[in-house]
């Protein structure tokens, strides 16, 4: 199947209302869908000009910003494979990932130029990239046209490379397809009732699937607006909740919110959904949060390789200490059997490079 580029889901909303806001920043500034489209096109052209070709990997170790999101979308539009890396990784951890992934390009923050020079592979071009797009990459961006035609891709085309946590050995690179991103975003949008009227309060980091492929992608594919906060701060979240309809976080976030006397049902009156993932949420926190706000947190479960696998329902009973039921097209099978071959690639097709990494979909 052609024309399966994940970016097409955003282009649908872009064509409907290009001047609608996609981001609201902490300063109060709003950025439109058209702004994101033009900037991501410019970044895609700049990556092409730097020598990237379709299928190349682009490694990114950046703090969250609207410009960083535009860089992510530029990679998807141009058919590059996006590799997000934890901003807390030390040189040894970065060196392992870069040697394993062999990216064509590496983006780091403005203060990491010396560090990058020590660990970057000889075949990788390194650029610095600040929260406003400033840095060494900006010199190339200034030379290119903002107009870029998003390329057609098959569902199986690699969109991103995510590394597992390494709990059973060295981290493994799981290749995530465009079809998997689209399936996950569209399915979760439907399951969780997302629409263009939603406002997602986004406080998660964007170097893993929770903050990028789940929170951001679902909002983007639904035409929703994001209230973009650079990081989680309980006081800032409590100020923004009255303007939000959805909040996604990890259990630690809910612990911290409960520690504030300002958390109450009135402050959460506009919110329709609180989601928790990435770690187990205790039944105690689940109960305390409901008692304080009137909301039962929706828990879900996923993995690096497959993003979301299970979710509690939007409508119906949300059980504490339960991750819910498998999402559509996901079925659990006994050990030794092969997973179902989903028509829309809800799991990645392969692990990167290493022969001992078995395929998850055939």
């Amino acid at each position: 199947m052609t024309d399966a580029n994940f970016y097409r889901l955003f282009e649908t909303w872009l064509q409907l209302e290009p001047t609608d806001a996609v981001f609201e920043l902490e300063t109060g500034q709003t950025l439109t869908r058209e702004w994101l489209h033009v900037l991501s096109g410019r970044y895609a052209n700049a990556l092409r000009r730097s020598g990237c070709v379709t299928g190349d990997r682009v490694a990114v170790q950046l703090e969250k910003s609207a410009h960083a999101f535009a860089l992510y979308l530029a990679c998807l539009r141009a058919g590059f494979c996006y590799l997000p890396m934890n901003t807390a990784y030390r040189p040894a951890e970065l060196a392992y990932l870069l040697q394993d992934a062999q990216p064509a390009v590496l983006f780091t923050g403005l203060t990491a130029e010396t560090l990058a020079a020590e660990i970057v592979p000889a075949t990788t071009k390194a650029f610095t990239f600040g929260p406003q797009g400033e840095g060494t990459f900006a010199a190339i961006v200034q030379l290119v046209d903002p107009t870029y035609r998003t390329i057609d891709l098959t569902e199986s085309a690699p969109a991103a490379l995510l590394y597992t946590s390494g709990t059973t050995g060295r981290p493994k690179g799981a290749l995530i397809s465009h079809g998997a991103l689209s399936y996950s975003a569209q399915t979760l949008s439907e399951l969780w009732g997302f629409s263009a009227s939603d406002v997602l309060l986004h406080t998660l980091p964007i170097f893993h699937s929770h903050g990028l492929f789940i929170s951001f992608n679902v909002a983007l594919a639904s035409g929703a607006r994001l209230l973009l906060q650079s990081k989680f701060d309980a006081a800032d979240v409590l100020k923004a909740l009255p303007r939000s309809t959805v909040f996604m976080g990890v259990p630690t976030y809910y612990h911290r919110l409960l520690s504030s006397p300002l958390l109450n049902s009135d402050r959460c009156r506009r919110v329709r959904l609180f989601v928790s993932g990435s770690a187990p949420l205790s039944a105690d926190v689940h109960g305390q949060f409901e008692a304080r706000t009137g909301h039962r947190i929706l828990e879900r479960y996923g993995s690096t390789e497959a993003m979301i696998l299970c979710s509690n329902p939007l409508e119906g009973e949300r059980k504490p200490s339960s991750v819910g039921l498998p999402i559509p097209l996901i079925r659990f099978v006994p050990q030794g059997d092969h997973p179902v071959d989903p028509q829309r690639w809800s799991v990645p097709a392969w692990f990167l490079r290493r022969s001992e990494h078995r395929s998850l979909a055939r």
Side-chain angles (χ1 to χ4, degrees):
M1 175 182 176
T2 59
D3 201 22
N5 193 311
F6 170 79
Y7 191 78
R8 303 297 183 199
L9 299 181
F10 174 64
E11 283 185 336
T12 298
W13 293 104
L14 174 74
Q15 292 164 7
L16 287 173
E17 295 290 348
T19 59
D20 276 8
V22 64
F23 294 126
E24 182 178 330
L25 308 184
E26 291 169 290
T27 61
Q29 179 187 8
T30 58
L31 302 173
T32 68
R33 293 169 182 163
E34 186 174 27
W35 176 91
L36 186 57
H37 179 69
V38 170
L39 186 61
S40 63
R42 191 181 289 276
Y43 285 165
N45 276 324
L47 285 166
R48 290 281 183 191
R49 190 180 181 95
S50 72
C52 287
V53 298
T54 300
D56 276 350
R57 300 176 191 118
V58 176
V60 174
Q61 190 190 36
L62 299 173
E63 299 292 346
K64 180 167 67 176
S65 70
H67 286 258
F69 279 116
L71 183 62
Y72 159 63
L73 293 178
C75 292
L76 298 187
R77 294 183 67 181
F80 308 139
C81 188
Y82 185 84
L83 166 57
M85 300 186 298
N86 194 320
T87 52
Y89 278 162
R90 295 167 294 187
E93 295 167 309
L94 285 175
Y96 167 74
L97 296 187
L98 294 173
Q99 289 298 324
D100 190 64
Q102 291 292 309
V105 171
L106 166 65
F107 286 95
T108 57
L110 298 177
T111 61
E113 190 168 6
T114 302
L115 172 65
E118 297 172 355
I119 63 174
V120 64
T123 57
T124 301
K125 294 180 180 179
F127 295 105
T128 56
F129 189 95
Q132 300 297 321
E134 71 275 31
T136 56
F137 188 59
I140 300 178
V141 174
Q142 293 173 359
L143 300 175
V144 300
D145 191 280
T147 303
Y148 186 84
R149 181 185 177 278
T150 303
I151 70 169
D152 293 343
L153 294 168
T154 64
E155 288 187 332
S156 60
L161 176 60
L162 292 184
Y163 275 81
T164 62
S165 60
T167 53
T168 59
R170 298 301 295 272
K172 305 172 182 66
L175 285 161
I176 311 296
S177 70
H178 277 262
L181 291 187
S182 296
Y183 170 79
S184 179
Q186 291 176 302
T187 300
L188 295 178
S189 176
E190 181 177 350
L191 289 176
W192 295 344
F194 265 79
S195 73
S197 62
D198 272 311
V199 180
L200 171 67
L201 178 53
H202 194 294
T203 65
L204 291 159
I206 59 171
F207 50 72
H208 59 61
S209 61
H210 193 172
L212 189 60
F213 301 147
I214 299 170
S215 297
F216 177 65
N217 279 8
V218 171
L220 196 75
S222 306
R225 176 188 297 206
L226 292 97
L227 298 184
L228 208 58
Q229 297 190 350
S230 58
K231 60 182 179 180
F232 175 85
D233 179 89
D236 291 338
V237 168
L238 289 165
K239 290 178 183 176
L241 280 176
R243 297 184 292 115
S244 310
T245 65
V246 181
F247 177 77
M248 298 187 190
V250 296
T252 303
Y253 291 4
Y254 291 102
H255 279 275
R256 293 177 182 173
L257 289 172
L258 284 168
S259 69
S260 173
L262 298 177
L263 180 69
N264 54 43
S265 58
D266 184 62
R267 190 168 291 272
C268 301
R269 63 187 180 277
R270 193 185 173 199
V271 181
R272 66 171 186 83
L273 180 63
F274 287 94
V275 180
S276 180
S278 298
L281 182 74
S282 71
D284 182 55
V285 170
H286 195 283
Q288 287 187 51
F289 196 85
E290 183 179 11
R292 292 272 296 276
T293 68
H295 287 274
R296 291 179 69 84
I297 298 170
L298 185 152
E299 289 187 80
R300 85 305 180 280
Y301 171 76
S303 68
T304 301
E305 300 88 342
M307 292 176 287
I308 294 295
L309 293 167
C310 302
S311 175
N312 271 269
L314 179 66
E315 304 293 340
E317 184 181 5
R318 302 175 193 169
K319 297 181 179 179
S321 302
S322 169
V323 294
L325 297 173
I327 67 173
L329 296 186
I330 292 292
R331 176 170 72 87
F332 292 100
V333 295
Q335 186 175 3
D337 290 352
H338 292 304
V340 176
D341 182 18
Q343 294 180 353
R344 300 187 66 183
W345 296 81
S346 60
V347 295
W350 60 89
F351 282 113
L352 178 69
R353 292 182 176 279
R354 302 183 182 279
S355 60
E356 67 269 23
H357 300 168
R358 66 178 178 84
S359 171
L360 288 183
R362 300 176 185 276

